[in-house]
């Protein structure tokens, strides 16, 4: 099982420590594309703070994130699972998983990123600010920048099992499963059962809990149909059926009564 996650806007920062080693990140085929984004982002933030704030879509109160980007090559790097914070990652709570579940997380979780393309939760990265929706002056839209590299790397990373796609639309733009991989891909939408509406905070928290449940249970569904059964066995209310045409991803709805 490969689980595709979005990053979080909020990221933990750490003091002194070993800096980034770009060549040590998983999916080394993405190294050149990563270096291109890293070089331009650091240069942009070092040269013109006001332009960087505009390009990155930062409010005045987040101006400090620009200085953080300037120091990306020398800042302390920590496992991505410790860097990413926010609602989904709080609910997933990687640090409190048992040893077996942590090993499953290391193998199966892949976090998409405007800066890194995609990283494992064990990859050591510094705290940064650069969403997939950013358009860098030299590289253009990051979703487009990553598309070719991802298309060459992700099908192999997906292996022959389920691909559980929990990304937001901006991050989904970097790679869309196709053909045989798409047929064993499932995206999940979380709905408030009484209203059947998506609530952003609620949606993220429930997705985090779903991933935690699957990892803790040692569930290894091979495809979307098996995922539906696994989630129902774990107590989730799931609606979904096979797409009308082959070679298309499944869309599943998880219904939850309480918003928390």
């Amino acid at each position: 099982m490969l689980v595709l996650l979005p990053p979080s806007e909020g990221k933990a920062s750490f003091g002194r420590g070993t800096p980034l080693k770009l060549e040590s990140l998983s999916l080394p085929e993405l190294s050149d594309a990563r270096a291109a984004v890293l070089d331009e982002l650091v240069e942009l933030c070092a040269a013109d703070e006001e332009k960087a704030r505009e390009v990155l879509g930062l409010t005045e109160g987040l101006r400090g994130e620009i200085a953080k980007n300037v120091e990306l090559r020398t800042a302390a790097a920590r496992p991505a699972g410790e860097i990413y914070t926010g609602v989904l990652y709080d609910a997933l709570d990687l640090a409190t998983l048992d040893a077996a579940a942590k090993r499953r997380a290391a193998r199966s979780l892949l976090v998409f990123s405007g800066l890194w393309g995609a990283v494992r939760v064990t990859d050591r990265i510094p705290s940064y600010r650069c969403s997939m929706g950013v358009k860098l002056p030299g590289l253009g839209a990051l979703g487009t920048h990553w598309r070719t590299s991802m298309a060459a790397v992700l099908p192999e990373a997906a292996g022959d099992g389920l691909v559980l796609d929990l990304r937001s639309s901006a991050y989904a733009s970097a790679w869309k499963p196709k053909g045989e991989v798409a047929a064993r891909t499932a995206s999940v939408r979380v709905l408030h059962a009484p209203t059947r509406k998506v609530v952003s905070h609620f949606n993220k928290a429930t997705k985090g809990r779903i991933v935690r449940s699957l990892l803790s249970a040692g569930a290894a569904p091979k495809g979307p149909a098996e995922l539906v059964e696994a989630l129902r066995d774990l107590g989730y209310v799931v609606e979904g059926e096979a797409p009308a045409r082959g070679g298309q991803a499944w869309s599943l709805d998880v219904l939850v009564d309480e918003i928390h």
Side-chain angles (χ1 to χ4, degrees):
M1 178 174 65
L2 182 68
V3 182
L4 310 180
L5 296 174
S8 57
E9 287 296 328
K11 300 173 183 71
S13 293
F14 295 87
R16 295 181 180 180
T18 304
L20 170 73
K21 293 182 180 179
L22 202 61
E23 68 279 4
S24 72
L25 299 181
S26 300
L27 307 178
E29 300 89 347
L30 300 178
S31 288
D32 288 346
R34 287 168 175 151
V37 180
L38 178 63
D39 288 346
E40 183 168 353
L41 181 62
V42 171
E43 182 178 349
L44 169 69
C45 291
D48 189 333
E49 185 175 288
E50 197 57 40
K51 182 177 180 180
R53 190 167 74 86
E54 180 182 345
V55 169
L56 296 176
L58 301 177
T59 64
E60 181 64 33
L62 292 173
R63 186 180 288 273
E65 298 291 292
I66 298 168
K68 182 189 295 184
N69 284 347
V70 174
E71 305 297 329
L72 281 171
R73 293 193 182 91
T74 57
R78 301 286 293 182
E82 297 178 19
I83 292 290
Y84 294 117
T85 60
V87 176
L88 188 153
Y89 291 90
D90 285 347
L92 174 53
D93 200 4
L94 287 167
T96 63
L97 291 172
D98 64 34
K102 285 179 179 177
R103 289 193 293 271
R104 296 180 196 110
R107 293 193 303 267
S108 63
L109 305 188
L110 197 63
V111 185
F112 274 61
S113 162
L115 175 52
W116 315 116
V119 292
R120 303 285 185 183
V121 292
T122 51
D123 285 334
R124 299 177 69 88
I125 59 173
S127 182
Y128 68 96
R129 190 73 175 222
C130 185
S131 70
M132 191 66 80
V134 164
K135 294 182 180 180
L136 291 174
L139 292 177
L142 290 179
T144 302
H145 169 75
W146 286 112
R147 206 165 291 157
T148 299
S149 299
M150 292 289 196
V153 173
L154 266 293
E156 181 177 352
D160 59 1
L162 170 74
V163 178
L164 175 54
D165 190 352
L166 301 179
R167 299 171 296 168
S168 57
S169 58
Y171 291 91
S173 70
W175 181 59
K176 182 178 180 180
K178 295 181 179 180
E180 185 269 334
V181 179
R184 49 188 168 84
T185 296
S187 62
V188 171
R189 184 175 61 162
V190 180
L191 302 180
H192 181 216
T195 63
R196 301 192 72 83
K197 291 182 179 180
V198 174
V199 182
S200 180
H201 181 286
F202 175 52
N203 177 56
K204 293 175 183 177
T206 303
K207 286 179 177 178
R209 285 192 285 271
I210 285 171
V211 176
R212 183 180 177 87
S213 296
L214 291 169
L215 293 172
S216 296
K222 289 294 186 181
E226 291 95 331
L227 173 64
V228 171
E229 293 307 311
L231 290 175
R232 287 174 176 166
D233 288 344
L234 290 167
Y236 293 93
V237 178
V238 185
E239 294 180 352
E241 58 185 25
R245 290 164 42 190
Q248 293 184 327
W250 289 47
S251 294
L252 305 180
D253 288 339
V254 173
L255 287 82
V256 185
D257 289 328
E258 297 181 1
I259 298 178
H260 58 87

